Amino acid sequence: MAPSPEVEPTAPPAEAPDTADTTDADAGFRVSLSNFDGPFDLLLTLISKHEMDITEVSLSAVTNEFIAYLKELDEDEELDQASEFLVVAATLLDMKVAGLLPQGELVDAEAVALLEARDLLFARLLQYRAFKEVSAWFARCLQREDRRHVRAVRLDEKHRRKTPELVWSLTVDDFAALALLAFAPKEIPHVGLDHLHAPLVSIREQAAIVVTLLRGAESVSFRELVAGVREPGIVVARFISVLELYRHAALSFEQLEPLGELTLRWAADSWSDETLATLGADYDR
Amino acid sequence: MTDDRTETDDRTATDDRTETGDRTASRVDDVGQASPLTERIEAILLIIDEPIGLVALAAAVGSPVPAVRQAIETLVEDYDGRGRGPRRGFELREVGGGWRLYVRDDHDDLVAEFVGGQAPARLSQAALETLAVIAYKQPVTRSQVASIRAVNVDSVVRTLLARGLITELFADSETGAINYGTTDALLQHLGINSLDELPPISPLLDDGADGFDEGTIR
Amino acid sequence: MTDDRTETDDRTATDDRTETGDRTASRVDDVGQASPLTERIEAILLIIDEPIGLVALAAAVGSPVPAVRQAIETLVEDYDGRGRGPRRGFELREVGGGWRLYVRDDHDDLVAEFVGGQAPARLSQAALETLAVIAYKQPVTRSQVASIRAVNVDSVVRTLLARGLITELFADSETGAINYGTTDALLQHLGINSLDELPPISPLLDDGADGFDEGTIR
């Protein structure tokens, strides 16, 4: 897709790849794909404006290019750009997953939920971009003000003597106790998630269902596997259990075309239900 | 020199020529005060090491706030060379919620050379973005910031706390999560007087929202 | 007064500057300088702690000593109200062979009252903890203390300095960061003769040291 002119102004950092500095971190990173060639920022703009389909972008190719690009940067830039890239790539990946999940012709509640999830991801990306853009203003102001000199002169001895006499009541042991307190590492308190009441879905339970369904039929499509399921969490859990079962070589799958039907077959030579007990242990916390 | 000169001269183009008349004038709010208001304000401005707000300044010099506001305006103009005297090498700026004397920016390079020393380390891009999120979303918890930035922000928040750019505001009564906000020191570092002076960000966000009509979603 | 030396009274921004040049009778010295000598001198005077000698000042502003001496005289007269503008709340005085801005004596009471109201008789918990960190970690820079305390300590350090409990030891040769240490005044308050008499708290102290990464900002 060719960069459309009206998109250009929304991606000012893309204009000057040679003057890249740490505040315009992605100014220098260009992506060259079969269907896109231009600054990374522009790619994001196009995707967020729906002028390009996220599912058509090869994230692995983008990532490879980015790693190559990083190698030419100095350390500071590298860290900044890498962290930023991770943020954006993670969001893109989320979008892509949402884009790839089965949606199909049936416009049911589930599909709508998926669309909503996608919207949320778009919103997140756009919000992120908004803050990134405004952070350039922060950088400019901080830099400008760094150069300023303010009067910060110690009080004259004459005036200092007028301050009230210091009242001191600590013994040397009090002082040491205070030091202990002051040196105690200050953990930034952890924010618990216990107050969230999202329904928990067990991957193990869902895997058991998947195994039962697969063993009972010659082949099952993923669509069939999640037919009638209304909870997104359960769809996700079943998808993860498919991946886990694939890792255990318990099933094979084929997909004839991108976004096409995912067909699953039971392929385990030896399967014991004990495997099931440890399945998805990575996801336990 | 006599002490009965006024601190504020009602300045017009012609006042420069009637300087003596001005000087003998006396103002109501200075009744009972040994010296003019602008002088007293200058005395305080010379010794403070953080911005002083109008109310605190008024209390310090023992004059009503409106008179102090007016006197400050006079001083600003004076130092800028729009009063009777020449322009000064310093200026009076309202930054971070109060007034403070700064070297005029024309002379920043000169002073920097004289002072030497190292410019403070710059904030990383990650820190800048986190700072921006906190500035616009405050009060905001770390996990809320993290969900916008889509990365863990703990160490960056620590840095910003240590720099005094943000502060812990309060703990959420239910979850105990700490809410963060920006400090007056941040305003000083940005060279602005209040959060109202942050550039509007909603257009940027609205812009994005415009793209959300269902028709464009495949 | 030299006011009548200028031909015109219609003052514009540029007129002001050339006029100041006139007063210092050092037009030539200002060739190639963006702003008049008095302004440059004022910029330096605003930020110095200690009186600055004529020669050092001349070097700082890049003008010959006689011109600087003359400009200083102009400023003294200016601030005393013998120039065109009003008298200032501060004055320029030569003390111990150097020049520095001082609050005019008339305002001493005002300043004393203000300072008295600012400085509480007791140190805050934050100040005490910071003091403890400095006592055990000295020599230590402000940013090191900040990273241990996980809060900004700038104003607290100022308080401790003003109270004479800590002092600037030396500047780091590389970063220019100032290293702080405690004073004999603290030892007296604690009733000990030397720092060796501070009770050991070493196990935790080592932990604290791990948290240091001077100069890094992320």
Side-chain angles (χ1 to χ4, degrees):
Chain A
M1 170 159 307
S4 49
E6 79 269 19
V7 171
E8 288 281 358
T10 66
E15 307 282 63
D18 292 328
T19 59
D21 62 23
T22 45
T23 54
D24 272 342
D26 59 355
F29 177 43
R30 295 179 70 87
V31 186
S32 208
L33 304 172
S34 57
N35 53 352
F36 175 85
D37 182 43
F40 186 47
D41 215 48
L42 182 59
L43 177 67
L44 297 184
T45 309
L46 291 175
I47 291 170
S48 64
K49 286 191 177 265
H50 303 274
E51 285 168 27
M52 216 173 150
D53 191 341
I54 179 69
T55 58
E56 290 167 10
V57 176
S58 164
L59 284 180
S60 64
V62 173
T63 308
N64 281 340
E65 288 208 8
F66 183 75
I67 290 169
Y69 168 73
L70 275 191
K71 287 191 176 135
E72 291 167 17
L73 294 178
D74 69 44
E75 245 174 60
D76 273 5
E77 284 177 324
E78 192 177 313
L79 207 63
D80 274 357
Q81 296 220 12
S83 64
E84 177 180 327
F85 181 79
L86 284 179
V87 171
V88 175
T91 308
L92 285 178
L93 200 60
D94 280 350
M95 289 167 63
K96 188 154 182 171
V97 168
L100 289 173
L101 278 178
Q103 21 188 313
E105 313 78 352
L106 308 158
V107 180
D108 53 11
E110 181 194 337
V112 169
L114 275 176
L115 285 179
E116 281 172 358
R118 245 189 354 163
D119 266 5
L120 276 177
L121 292 166
F122 278 126
R124 216 170 86 189
L125 184 60
L126 289 166
Q127 192 180 37
Y128 169 72
R129 286 171 50 78
F131 282 116
K132 185 173 128 41
E133 277 173 39
V134 83
S135 76
W137 180 87
F138 277 73
R140 263 200 318 279
C141 287
L142 291 171
Q143 224 171 306
R144 189 191 57 214
E145 210 59 24
D146 263 359
R147 294 184 55 253
R148 298 305 305 265
H149 296 91
V150 69
R151 178 165 173 91
V153 170
R154 218 174 322 151
L155 210 53
D156 270 333
E157 188 52 38
K158 170 171 82 171
H159 296 125
R160 224 187 294 174
R161 282 198 305 268
K162 302 275 179 60
T163 56
E165 184 85 7
L166 181 65
V167 177
W168 186 273
S169 53
L170 290 184
T171 67
V172 67
D173 291 323
D174 292 342
F175 192 68
L178 200 65
L180 268 177
L181 187 68
F183 278 108
K186 278 160 206 67
E187 283 301 318
I188 289 196
H190 179 73
V191 181
L193 299 174
D194 306 343
H195 57 286
L196 297 178
H197 300 294
L200 290 176
V201 181
S202 158
I203 289 167
R204 216 157 293 139
E205 277 171 30
Q206 296 304 319
I209 296 171
V210 170
V211 169
T212 312
L213 286 172
L214 282 176
R215 285 167 117 177
E218 189 182 321
S219 74
V220 178
S221 73
F222 187 77
R223 191 185 307 284
E224 289 166 335
L225 213 50
V226 295
V229 175
R230 297 196 159 266
E231 292 286 334
I234 294 179
V235 176
V236 171
R238 287 197 186 168
F239 186 70
I240 291 172
S241 35
V242 166
L243 295 178
E244 286 292 313
L245 288 167
Y246 179 73
R247 257 172 67 174
H248 286 84
L251 61 76
S252 67
F253 62 80
E254 62 181 14
Q255 188 176 30
L256 296 177
E257 51 176 353
L259 292 178
E261 197 83 315
L262 194 60
T263 308
L264 310 166
R265 276 175 229 283
W266 187 247
D269 295 329
S270 59
W271 174 263
S272 91
D273 282 348
E274 280 167 25
T275 317
L276 210 51
T278 57
L279 199 72
D282 293 352
Y283 299 92
D284 289 339
R285 292 203 40 144
Chain B
M1 261 314 105
T2 50
D3 272 334
D4 57 344
R5 281 173 304 119
T6 173
E7 75 294 0
T8 53
D9 43 317
D10 309 320
R11 201 172 310 103
T12 68
T14 55
D15 269 348
D16 288 325
R17 283 148 212 164
T18 60
E19 199 173 353
T20 36
D22 261 330
R23 289 191 173 185
T24 49
S26 141
R27 284 183 76 99
V28 181
D29 44 65
D30 272 340
V31 170
Q33 300 279 4
S35 50
L37 182 52
T38 44
E39 271 197 38
R40 300 202 303 277
I41 290 173
E42 283 177 314
I44 299 293
L45 288 174
L46 201 73
I47 57 149
I48 52 172
D49 55 10
E50 50 188 33
I52 185 166
L54 264 188
V55 177
L57 190 53
V61 298
S63 289
V65 170
V68 171
R69 182 180 292 123
Q70 178 117 30
I72 284 270
E73 263 169 45
T74 304
L75 286 175
V76 169
E77 290 187 357
D78 249 20
Y79 296 168
D80 285 353
R82 287 176 285 141
R84 282 190 314 238
R87 196 176 81 149
R88 297 285 157 213
F90 43 80
E91 62 179 335
L92 192 47
R93 293 176 75 202
E94 190 179 21
V95 162
W99 292 92
R100 216 173 161 191
L101 289 171
Y102 278 77
V103 171
R104 196 168 287 282
D105 59 4
D106 303 29
H107 309 294
D108 278 338
D109 293 339
L110 183 82
V111 173
E113 208 173 303
F114 175 72
V115 177
Q118 199 119 326
R122 292 225 193 127
L123 290 175
S124 67
Q125 180 65 19
L128 283 171
E129 286 169 21
T130 302
L131 187 58
V133 172
I134 294 174
Y136 283 92
K137 291 272 185 187
Q138 60 186 308
V140 65
T141 65
R142 228 171 33 242
S143 62
Q144 286 166 340
V145 177
S147 80
I148 291 170
R149 295 259 306 122
V151 288
N152 184 297
V153 294
D154 289 2
S155 78
V156 167
V157 164
R158 255 184 111 84
T159 298
L160 295 175
L161 279 172
R163 284 267 190 126
L165 301 176
I166 62 170
T167 185
E168 298 178 355
L169 292 179
F170 56 88
D172 187 290
S173 58
E174 273 183 38
T175 66
I178 292 166
N179 278 265
Y180 294 90
T182 53
T183 60
D184 285 348
L186 172 69
L187 300 181
Q188 291 171 46
H189 283 294
L190 292 172
I192 61 176
N193 190 41
S194 90
L195 289 172
D196 299 340
E197 292 172 45
L198 291 178
I201 195 176
S202 41
L204 288 170
L205 291 175
D206 289 350
D207 226 20
D210 289 348
F212 282 179
D213 39 343
E214 310 76 52
T216 55
I217 294 179
R218 276 168 267 251
Chain C
M1 265 307 62
T2 55
D3 280 18
D4 46 342
R5 262 210 275 146
T6 42
E7 315 78 11
T8 121
D9 256 342
D10 340 335
R11 197 170 308 110
T12 69
T14 47
D15 277 347
D16 268 326
R17 275 167 232 173
T18 52
E19 184 168 0
T20 320
D22 266 326
R23 287 183 172 194
T24 60
S26 63
R27 247 197 181 131
V28 182
D29 307 316
D30 277 344
V31 169
Q33 301 277 8
S35 49
L37 181 53
T38 46
E39 273 196 33
R40 299 202 305 278
I41 291 174
E42 284 178 312
I44 300 291
L45 288 174
L46 194 76
I47 52 128
I48 52 167
D49 260 310
E50 303 292 329
I52 184 169
L54 264 187
V55 176
L57 190 54
V61 298
S63 292
V65 171
V68 171
R69 181 181 295 122
Q70 181 115 28
I72 286 268
E73 264 168 42
T74 306
L75 286 174
V76 169
E77 291 186 355
D78 249 18
Y79 296 168
D80 285 352
R82 288 176 284 143
R84 275 188 326 219
R87 197 176 79 149
R88 298 281 155 217
F90 43 81
E91 61 184 336
L92 188 49
R93 273 209 317 252
E94 191 176 17
V95 171
W99 292 89
R100 186 173 179 269
L101 291 173
Y102 292 89
V103 173
R104 202 169 281 282
D105 287 343
D106 305 28
H107 308 293
D108 275 355
D109 292 344
L110 188 78
V111 170
E113 204 174 309
F114 178 73
V115 169
Q118 295 296 105
R122 280 169 195 283
L123 291 177
S124 66
Q125 178 77 11
L128 285 170
E129 287 187 23
T130 298
L131 182 59
V133 169
I134 294 174
Y136 277 90
K137 285 300 290 186
Q138 59 188 307
V140 65
T141 67
R142 230 172 15 205
S143 64
Q144 286 168 338
V145 179
S147 87
I148 292 172
R149 302 260 305 116
V151 289
N152 184 270
V153 295
D154 291 1
S155 82
V156 166
V157 164
R158 276 204 302 268
T159 302
L160 295 174
L161 275 173
R163 284 294 188 179
L165 296 169
I166 61 170
T167 185
E168 298 179 354
L169 294 179
F170 56 90
D172 186 289
S173 59
E174 268 182 42
T175 65
I178 292 165
N179 279 267
Y180 296 90
T182 52
T183 61
D184 287 346
L186 175 67
L187 298 184
Q188 283 167 26
H189 282 304
L190 290 173
I192 56 178
N193 290 317
S194 93
L195 289 171
D196 301 337
E197 294 174 43
L198 283 177
I201 56 162
S202 40
L204 273 167
L205 199 53
D206 293 341
D207 275 358
D210 291 345
F212 286 0
D213 40 356
E214 178 72 359
T216 45
I217 285 314
R218 277 167 248 288

